[in-house]
PDB file of all heavy atoms in Angstrom:
ATOM      1  N   LEU A  46     -45.425  38.738 111.548  1.00 97.00           N
ATOM      2  CA  LEU A  46     -45.410  39.472 112.829  1.00 97.00           C
ATOM      3  C   LEU A  46     -44.174  40.285 112.867  1.00 97.00           C
ATOM      4  O   LEU A  46     -43.113  39.863 112.531  1.00 97.00           O
ATOM      5  CB  LEU A  46     -45.492  38.597 114.060  1.00 97.00           C
ATOM      6  CG  LEU A  46     -46.779  37.881 114.375  1.00 97.00           C
ATOM      7  CD1 LEU A  46     -46.599  37.077 115.659  1.00 97.00           C
ATOM      8  CD2 LEU A  46     -48.003  38.756 114.446  1.00 97.00           C
ATOM      9  N   ARG A  47     -44.277  41.568 113.322  1.00 97.00           N
ATOM     10  CA  ARG A  47     -43.158  42.465 113.340  1.00 97.00           C
ATOM     11  C   ARG A  47     -42.978  43.095 114.701  1.00 97.00           C
ATOM     12  O   ARG A  47     -43.799  43.966 115.112  1.00 97.00           O
ATOM     13  CB  ARG A  47     -43.316  43.583 112.306  1.00 97.00           C
ATOM     14  CG  ARG A  47     -43.615  43.073 110.964  1.00 97.00           C
ATOM     15  CD  ARG A  47     -44.074  44.254 109.994  1.00 97.00           C
ATOM     16  NE  ARG A  47     -44.513  43.759 108.705  1.00 97.00           N
ATOM     17  CZ  ARG A  47     -43.673  43.620 107.625  1.00 97.00           C
ATOM     18  NH1 ARG A  47     -42.378  43.908 107.735  1.00 97.00           N
ATOM     19  NH2 ARG A  47     -44.110  43.162 106.466  1.00 97.00           N
ATOM     20  N   ASP A  48     -41.955  42.679 115.418  1.00 97.00           N
ATOM     21  CA  ASP A  48     -41.513  43.333 116.643  1.00 97.00           C
ATOM     22  C   ASP A  48     -42.692  43.488 117.668  1.00 97.00           C
ATOM     23  O   ASP A  48     -42.893  44.647 118.140  1.00 97.00           O
ATOM     24  CB  ASP A  48     -40.886  44.667 116.406  1.00 97.00           C
ATOM     25  CG  ASP A  48     -39.475  44.529 115.750  1.00 97.00           C
ATOM     26  OD1 ASP A  48     -38.788  43.549 116.024  1.00 97.00           O
ATOM     27  OD2 ASP A  48     -39.087  45.405 114.939  1.00 97.00           O
ATOM     28  N   ILE A  49     -43.370  42.432 117.960  1.00 98.00           N
ATOM     29  CA  ILE A  49     -44.508  42.504 118.865  1.00 98.00           C
ATOM     30  C   ILE A  49     -44.058  42.518 120.365  1.00 98.00           C
ATOM     31  O   ILE A  49     -43.303  41.578 120.770  1.00 98.00           O
ATOM     32  CB  ILE A  49     -45.450  41.288 118.607  1.00 98.00           C
ATOM     33  CG1 ILE A  49     -46.007  41.305 117.203  1.00 98.00           C
ATOM     34  CG2 ILE A  49     -46.601  41.298 119.641  1.00 98.00           C
ATOM     35  CD1 ILE A  49     -46.873  42.447 116.832  1.00 98.00           C
ATOM     36  N   ASP A  50     -44.456  43.534 121.032  1.00 98.00           N
ATOM     37  CA  ASP A  50     -44.266  43.612 122.477  1.00 98.00           C
ATOM     38  C   ASP A  50     -45.668  43.572 123.130  1.00 98.00           C
ATOM     39  O   ASP A  50     -46.477  44.503 122.884  1.00 98.00           O
ATOM     40  CB  ASP A  50     -43.527  44.863 122.879  1.00 98.00           C
ATOM     41  CG  ASP A  50     -42.052  44.895 122.500  1.00 98.00           C
ATOM     42  OD1 ASP A  50     -41.389  43.827 122.727  1.00 98.00           O
ATOM     43  OD2 ASP A  50     -41.529  45.916 122.035  1.00 98.00           O
ATOM     44  N   LEU A  51     -45.915  42.555 123.932  1.00 97.00           N
ATOM     45  CA  LEU A  51     -47.281  42.337 124.431  1.00 97.00           C
ATOM     46  C   LEU A  51     -47.233  41.470 125.661  1.00 97.00           C
ATOM     47  O   LEU A  51     -46.517  40.563 125.698  1.00 97.00           O
ATOM     48  CB  LEU A  51     -48.098  41.706 123.316  1.00 97.00           C
ATOM     49  CG  LEU A  51     -49.568  41.335 123.603  1.00 97.00           C
ATOM     50  CD1 LEU A  51     -50.403  42.556 123.778  1.00 97.00           C
ATOM     51  CD2 LEU A  51     -50.093  40.494 122.466  1.00 97.00           C
ATOM     52  N   VAL A  52     -48.079  41.823 126.626  1.00 98.00           N
ATOM     53  CA  VAL A  52     -48.207  40.993 127.862  1.00 98.00           C
ATOM     54  C   VAL A  52     -49.683  40.719 128.020  1.00 98.00           C
ATOM     55  O   VAL A  52     -50.474  41.616 128.045  1.00 98.00           O
ATOM     56  CB  VAL A  52     -47.618  41.676 129.125  1.00 98.00           C
ATOM     57  CG1 VAL A  52     -47.961  40.846 130.350  1.00 98.00           C
ATOM     58  CG2 VAL A  52     -46.103  41.907 128.946  1.00 98.00           C
ATOM     59  N   ILE A  53     -50.056  39.447 128.201  1.00 97.00           N
ATOM     60  CA  ILE A  53     -51.362  39.061 128.525  1.00 97.00           C
ATOM     61  C   ILE A  53     -51.356  38.313 129.876  1.00 97.00           C
ATOM     62  O   ILE A  53     -50.642  37.338 130.022  1.00 97.00           O
ATOM     63  CB  ILE A  53     -51.929  38.125 127.425  1.00 97.00           C
ATOM     64  CG1 ILE A  53     -52.066  38.876 126.106  1.00 97.00           C
ATOM     65  CG2 ILE A  53     -53.351  37.585 127.803  1.00 97.00           C
ATOM     66  CD1 ILE A  53     -52.389  38.059 124.929  1.00 97.00           C
ATOM     67  N   ASP A  54     -52.106  38.804 130.824  1.00 96.00           N
ATOM     68  CA  ASP A  54     -52.033  38.277 132.186  1.00 96.00           C
ATOM     69  C   ASP A  54     -53.040  37.215 132.428  1.00 96.00           C
ATOM     70  O   ASP A  54     -54.048  37.049 131.653  1.00 96.00           O
ATOM     71  CB  ASP A  54     -52.275  39.425 133.176  1.00 96.00           C
ATOM     72  CG  ASP A  54     -51.018  40.301 133.378  1.00 96.00           C
ATOM     73  OD1 ASP A  54     -49.895  39.751 133.390  1.00 96.00           O
ATOM     74  OD2 ASP A  54     -51.150  41.542 133.482  1.00 96.00           O
ATOM     75  N   GLU A  55     -52.849  36.476 133.496  1.00 95.00           N
ATOM     76  CA  GLU A  55     -53.697  35.356 133.860  1.00 95.00           C
ATOM     77  C   GLU A  55     -55.181  35.818 133.967  1.00 95.00           C
ATOM     78  O   GLU A  55     -55.515  36.827 134.574  1.00 95.00           O
ATOM     79  CB  GLU A  55     -53.264  34.770 135.234  1.00 95.00           C
ATOM     80  CG  GLU A  55     -54.093  33.585 135.666  1.00 95.00           C
ATOM     81  CD  GLU A  55     -53.500  33.040 136.925  1.00 95.00           C
ATOM     82  OE1 GLU A  55     -52.667  33.653 137.571  1.00 95.00           O
ATOM     83  OE2 GLU A  55     -53.943  31.872 137.295  1.00 95.00           O
ATOM     84  N   GLY A  56     -56.069  34.995 133.306  1.00 95.00           N
ATOM     85  CA  GLY A  56     -57.500  35.229 133.464  1.00 95.00           C
ATOM     86  C   GLY A  56     -58.078  36.293 132.545  1.00 95.00           C
ATOM     87  O   GLY A  56     -59.278  36.470 132.539  1.00 95.00           O
ATOM     88  N   GLU A  57     -57.238  36.840 131.700  1.00 97.00           N
ATOM     89  CA  GLU A  57     -57.782  37.892 130.814  1.00 97.00           C
ATOM     90  C   GLU A  57     -58.661  37.301 129.691  1.00 97.00           C
ATOM     91  O   GLU A  57     -58.429  36.152 129.314  1.00 97.00           O
ATOM     92  CB  GLU A  57     -56.638  38.716 130.197  1.00 97.00           C
ATOM     93  CG  GLU A  57     -55.998  39.729 131.135  1.00 97.00           C
ATOM     94  CD  GLU A  57     -55.218  40.817 130.362  1.00 97.00           C
ATOM     95  OE1 GLU A  57     -55.879  41.772 129.917  1.00 97.00           O
ATOM     96  OE2 GLU A  57     -54.018  40.743 130.216  1.00 97.00           O
ATOM     97  N   PHE A  58     -59.588  38.067 129.176  1.00 97.00           N
ATOM     98  CA  PHE A  58     -60.415  37.727 128.003  1.00 97.00           C
ATOM     99  C   PHE A  58     -60.038  38.710 126.942  1.00 97.00           C
ATOM    100  O   PHE A  58     -60.501  39.856 127.001  1.00 97.00           O
ATOM    101  CB  PHE A  58     -61.852  37.775 128.359  1.00 97.00           C
ATOM    102  CG  PHE A  58     -62.762  37.182 127.342  1.00 97.00           C
ATOM    103  CD1 PHE A  58     -63.065  35.802 127.285  1.00 97.00           C
ATOM    104  CD2 PHE A  58     -63.344  37.931 126.325  1.00 97.00           C
ATOM    105  CE1 PHE A  58     -63.915  35.272 126.347  1.00 97.00           C
ATOM    106  CE2 PHE A  58     -64.194  37.413 125.393  1.00 97.00           C
ATOM    107  CZ  PHE A  58     -64.489  36.052 125.382  1.00 97.00           C
ATOM    108  N   VAL A  59     -59.259  38.301 125.963  1.00 97.00           N
ATOM    109  CA  VAL A  59     -58.675  39.200 124.945  1.00 97.00           C
ATOM    110  C   VAL A  59     -59.191  38.870 123.550  1.00 97.00           C
ATOM    111  O   VAL A  59     -59.221  37.643 123.202  1.00 97.00           O
ATOM    112  CB  VAL A  59     -57.147  39.057 124.977  1.00 97.00           C
ATOM    113  CG1 VAL A  59     -56.508  39.989 123.925  1.00 97.00           C
ATOM    114  CG2 VAL A  59     -56.584  39.387 126.326  1.00 97.00           C
ATOM    115  N   VAL A  60     -59.649  39.842 122.858  1.00 97.00           N
ATOM    116  CA  VAL A  60     -60.054  39.688 121.465  1.00 97.00           C
ATOM    117  C   VAL A  60     -59.023  40.411 120.574  1.00 97.00           C
ATOM    118  O   VAL A  60     -58.647  41.501 120.801  1.00 97.00           O
ATOM    119  CB  VAL A  60     -61.468  40.234 121.236  1.00 97.00           C
ATOM    120  CG1 VAL A  60     -61.817  40.300 119.740  1.00 97.00           C
ATOM    121  CG2 VAL A  60     -62.502  39.440 121.992  1.00 97.00           C
ATOM    122  N   ILE A  61     -58.653  39.648 119.528  1.00 97.00           N
ATOM    123  CA  ILE A  61     -57.728  40.168 118.549  1.00 97.00           C
ATOM    124  C   ILE A  61     -58.437  40.357 117.239  1.00 97.00           C
ATOM    125  O   ILE A  61     -59.114  39.500 116.771  1.00 97.00           O
ATOM    126  CB  ILE A  61     -56.516  39.214 118.298  1.00 97.00           C
ATOM    127  CG1 ILE A  61     -55.796  38.965 119.623  1.00 97.00           C
ATOM    128  CG2 ILE A  61     -55.560  39.820 117.260  1.00 97.00           C
ATOM    129  CD1 ILE A  61     -54.674  37.932 119.536  1.00 97.00           C
ATOM    130  N   VAL A  62     -58.342  41.570 116.655  1.00 96.00           N
ATOM    131  CA  VAL A  62     -58.990  41.882 115.368  1.00 96.00           C
ATOM    132  C   VAL A  62     -58.000  42.332 114.358  1.00 96.00           C
ATOM    133  O   VAL A  62     -56.897  42.820 114.720  1.00 96.00           O
ATOM    134  CB  VAL A  62     -60.155  42.890 115.480  1.00 96.00           C
ATOM    135  CG1 VAL A  62     -61.213  42.388 116.447  1.00 96.00           C
ATOM    136  CG2 VAL A  62     -59.615  44.232 115.985  1.00 96.00           C
ATOM    137  N   GLY A  63     -58.316  42.217 113.136  1.00 94.00           N
ATOM    138  CA  GLY A  63     -57.506  42.676 112.001  1.00 94.00           C
ATOM    139  C   GLY A  63     -57.966  41.980 110.748  1.00 94.00           C
ATOM    140  O   GLY A  63     -58.666  41.012 110.744  1.00 94.00           O
ATOM    141  N   LEU A  64     -57.578  42.549 109.634  1.00 91.00           N
ATOM    142  CA  LEU A  64     -57.902  41.942 108.357  1.00 91.00           C
ATOM    143  C   LEU A  64     -57.270  40.607 108.165  1.00 91.00           C
ATOM    144  O   LEU A  64     -56.316  40.280 108.864  1.00 91.00           O
ATOM    145  CB  LEU A  64     -57.452  42.870 107.175  1.00 91.00           C
ATOM    146  CG  LEU A  64     -58.190  44.213 107.075  1.00 91.00           C
ATOM    147  CD1 LEU A  64     -57.510  45.042 105.949  1.00 91.00           C
ATOM    148  CD2 LEU A  64     -59.591  44.029 106.703  1.00 91.00           C
ATOM    149  N   SER A  65     -57.739  39.821 107.241  1.00 89.00           N
ATOM    150  CA  SER A  65     -57.112  38.585 106.877  1.00 89.00           C
ATOM    151  C   SER A  65     -55.681  38.887 106.421  1.00 89.00           C
ATOM    152  O   SER A  65     -55.413  39.775 105.664  1.00 89.00           O
ATOM    153  CB  SER A  65     -57.840  37.919 105.695  1.00 89.00           C
ATOM    154  OG  SER A  65     -57.233  36.770 105.290  1.00 89.00           O
ATOM    155  N   GLY A  66     -54.710  38.164 106.978  1.00 91.00           N
ATOM    156  CA  GLY A  66     -53.315  38.385 106.689  1.00 91.00           C
ATOM    157  C   GLY A  66     -52.657  39.465 107.656  1.00 91.00           C
ATOM    158  O   GLY A  66     -51.474  39.752 107.512  1.00 91.00           O
ATOM    159  N   ALA A  67     -53.436  39.914 108.648  1.00 94.00           N
ATOM    160  CA  ALA A  67     -52.811  40.878 109.548  1.00 94.00           C
ATOM    161  C   ALA A  67     -51.884  40.248 110.536  1.00 94.00           C
ATOM    162  O   ALA A  67     -51.052  40.923 111.201  1.00 94.00           O
ATOM    163  CB  ALA A  67     -53.896  41.571 110.322  1.00 94.00           C
ATOM    164  N   GLY A  68     -51.962  38.922 110.747  1.00 95.00           N
ATOM    165  CA  GLY A  68     -51.088  38.229 111.669  1.00 95.00           C
ATOM    166  C   GLY A  68     -51.771  37.593 112.856  1.00 95.00           C
ATOM    167  O   GLY A  68     -51.112  37.150 113.758  1.00 95.00           O
ATOM    168  N   LYS A  69     -53.093  37.596 112.837  1.00 96.00           N
ATOM    169  CA  LYS A  69     -53.881  37.097 113.990  1.00 96.00           C
ATOM    170  C   LYS A  69     -53.545  35.624 114.308  1.00 96.00           C
ATOM    171  O   LYS A  69     -53.232  35.242 115.404  1.00 96.00           O
ATOM    172  CB  LYS A  69     -55.381  37.315 113.781  1.00 96.00           C
ATOM    173  CG  LYS A  69     -55.837  38.708 113.561  1.00 96.00           C
ATOM    174  CD  LYS A  69     -57.331  38.866 113.570  1.00 96.00           C
ATOM    175  CE  LYS A  69     -58.096  38.052 112.601  1.00 96.00           C
ATOM    176  NZ  LYS A  69     -57.751  38.316 111.149  1.00 96.00           N
ATOM    177  N   SER A  70     -53.698  34.807 113.269  1.00 95.00           N
ATOM    178  CA  SER A  70     -53.429  33.325 113.477  1.00 95.00           C
ATOM    179  C   SER A  70     -51.975  33.091 113.833  1.00 95.00           C
ATOM    180  O   SER A  70     -51.696  32.250 114.673  1.00 95.00           O
ATOM    181  CB  SER A  70     -53.845  32.607 112.220  1.00 95.00           C
ATOM    182  OG  SER A  70     -55.211  32.627 111.990  1.00 95.00           O
ATOM    183  N   THR A  71     -51.087  33.827 113.219  1.00 96.00           N
ATOM    184  CA  THR A  71     -49.646  33.616 113.492  1.00 96.00           C
ATOM    185  C   THR A  71     -49.407  34.008 114.921  1.00 96.00           C
ATOM    186  O   THR A  71     -48.526  33.276 115.624  1.00 96.00           O
ATOM    187  CB  THR A  71     -48.798  34.534 112.578  1.00 96.00           C
ATOM    188  OG1 THR A  71     -49.031  34.101 111.229  1.00 96.00           O
ATOM    189  CG2 THR A  71     -47.320  34.400 112.887  1.00 96.00           C
ATOM    190  N   LEU A  72     -50.005  35.032 115.465  1.00 97.00           N
ATOM    191  CA  LEU A  72     -49.814  35.353 116.893  1.00 97.00           C
ATOM    192  C   LEU A  72     -50.235  34.234 117.817  1.00 97.00           C
ATOM    193  O   LEU A  72     -49.497  33.841 118.719  1.00 97.00           O
ATOM    194  CB  LEU A  72     -50.616  36.650 117.233  1.00 97.00           C
ATOM    195  CG  LEU A  72     -50.370  37.188 118.645  1.00 97.00           C
ATOM    196  CD1 LEU A  72     -49.029  37.948 118.685  1.00 97.00           C
ATOM    197  CD2 LEU A  72     -51.476  38.157 119.035  1.00 97.00           C
ATOM    198  N   LEU A  73     -51.375  33.622 117.547  1.00 96.00           N
ATOM    199  CA  LEU A  73     -51.783  32.503 118.322  1.00 96.00           C
ATOM    200  C   LEU A  73     -50.823  31.298 118.177  1.00 96.00           C
ATOM    201  O   LEU A  73     -50.458  30.663 119.218  1.00 96.00           O
ATOM    202  CB  LEU A  73     -53.204  32.069 117.963  1.00 96.00           C
ATOM    203  CG  LEU A  73     -54.377  32.956 118.328  1.00 96.00           C
ATOM    204  CD1 LEU A  73     -55.688  32.173 118.179  1.00 96.00           C
ATOM    205  CD2 LEU A  73     -54.285  33.548 119.667  1.00 96.00           C
ATOM    206  N   ARG A  74     -50.478  30.972 116.947  1.00 95.00           N
ATOM    207  CA  ARG A  74     -49.558  29.852 116.720  1.00 95.00           C
ATOM    208  C   ARG A  74     -48.203  30.071 117.319  1.00 95.00           C
ATOM    209  O   ARG A  74     -47.525  29.033 117.678  1.00 95.00           O
ATOM    210  CB  ARG A  74     -49.449  29.637 115.242  1.00 95.00           C
ATOM    211  CG  ARG A  74     -50.792  29.117 114.617  1.00 95.00           C
ATOM    212  CD  ARG A  74     -50.747  29.117 113.062  1.00 95.00           C
ATOM    213  NE  ARG A  74     -49.752  28.291 112.496  1.00 95.00           N
ATOM    214  CZ  ARG A  74     -49.890  26.978 112.238  1.00 95.00           C
ATOM    215  NH1 ARG A  74     -51.023  26.399 112.563  1.00 95.00           N
ATOM    216  NH2 ARG A  74     -48.912  26.225 111.756  1.00 95.00           N
ATOM    217  N   SER A  75     -47.758  31.326 117.530  1.00 96.00           N
ATOM    218  CA  SER A  75     -46.441  31.490 118.123  1.00 96.00           C
ATOM    219  C   SER A  75     -46.471  31.137 119.628  1.00 96.00           C
ATOM    220  O   SER A  75     -45.459  30.750 120.205  1.00 96.00           O
ATOM    221  CB  SER A  75     -46.050  32.986 117.960  1.00 96.00           C
ATOM    222  OG  SER A  75     -46.923  33.853 118.722  1.00 96.00           O
TER     223      SER A  75
END
Side-chain angles (χ1 to χ4, degrees):
L46 289 182
R47 304 171 188 270
D48 290 328
I49 299 294
D50 289 316
L51 178 65
V52 175
I53 297 171
D54 283 321
E55 182 175 13
E57 285 200 82
F58 189 88
V59 179
V60 170
I61 303 174
V62 298
L64 292 174
S65 178
K69 302 190 302 297
S70 294
T71 299
L72 188 74
L73 292 195
R74 290 167 65 84
S75 67

